[in-house]
Amino acid sequence: MTVDAHVHIWDIGGGKFHVEYDWLTDTSDVLYQTYTLDQLEPRLAEHGVGALVLVQASDSLAENQALLDAAQRAPCPATVVGWLPLHEPERVATLLPRLRHPGFVGVRHMIHRDPDPAWLLRPEVSQSLDQLARAGLSFDAVAERPELLAQVPVIAAAHPTLTVVLDHLGKPPIAERGWQPWADLLASAAEQPNVVAKISGLATVSAPGFTASDWQPYVEHALSVFGPDRLMLGGDWPFTLTAASYREVWRTTLGTLTNLSPADRERVLSGTARRVYRLSDATVRHPRSEGEST
């Protein structure tokens, strides 16, 4: 069974939890729509996807509630990577106890959209990352630019008990068939044993008409530096719809893994994500948090 470790949903009207997605107004018509798991569900069985990780797309506490609510109603086991104000460690200390249940497994901040390019290196953020580690939560790093990717091993070394998840392999330069500095930066991140990575988000950095052979060198490099025990897959729906269908993304992704042994393939398809995001075979149910919702 495959785990899709990177799925987004959003309601551009705010939904019942009044989530705001201000950045969506500056994006394409493809993305400026409401996306729910009901729309994705028919596509999951085709690719053997039997578990999901719902990932934040708004730096807001309100979206935590929306994602946990959706996970509770998901067609398969689902957990949530939400958001906390990591730049305010005192507030994080207050909020964390209210989010202690099986559905809330990690935290992400949209560092690639933050106006401060060194946000992740702030001392106050470091204090909050320590709190995440003590709470057993992971941190997803959206390190989509070289300067952000270079920060991943820095925070991983500073917080050795925190699992740092690198989203989208750090966005390799596939469209231009580039290699450096991405390859060395990825290898540097992989040197820290508490860093894992997602093979995800590659369609949006590929030229039109991409095939598995276009992605193969980048996936092979990731496999060589991380190994299958520290890699997982993500469909990046619905972002990927700006470049390809969910079917095209999964077919291309799986096409890069054909040389793996069955055991290693299982680790990438399922094992790593299950371990990192605490997914079980049983449907995860999420009692609604009583924390802040705005």
Side-chain angles (χ1 to χ4, degrees), residues 174 202-203 206 210-219 249 252-253 256:
I174 299 173
L202 302 186
S206 299
F210 61 82
T211 67
S213 63
D214 296 312
W215 293 6
Q216 194 76 50
Y218 304 95
V219 173
V249 167
T252 305
T253 303
T256 66

Side-chain angles (χ1 to χ4, degrees), residues 16 39 56 71 85 99 106 108 153 170 207 242 271 276 284:
K16 66 179 180 180
Q39 295 163 268
Q56 64 92 228
L99 288 166
R108 189 175 89 146
T242 61
V276 171
V284 177

Side-chain angles (χ1 to χ4, degrees), residues 3-6 53 140 163-167 169 196-200 227-234 250 253 257 267-277:
V3 175
D4 186 339
H6 206 94
V53 180
D140 267 51
T163 298
V164 179
V165 183
L166 173 62
D167 289 346
L169 290 186
V196 301
K198 294 180 186 178
I199 302 172
S200 61
D229 280 327
R230 291 198 287 147
L231 288 174
M232 64 183 88
L233 304 184
W250 277 105
T253 303
L257 306 177
R267 291 182 179 97
V268 178
L269 292 180
S270 176
T272 302
R274 285 187 172 279
R275 181 182 74 249
V276 171
Y277 290 127

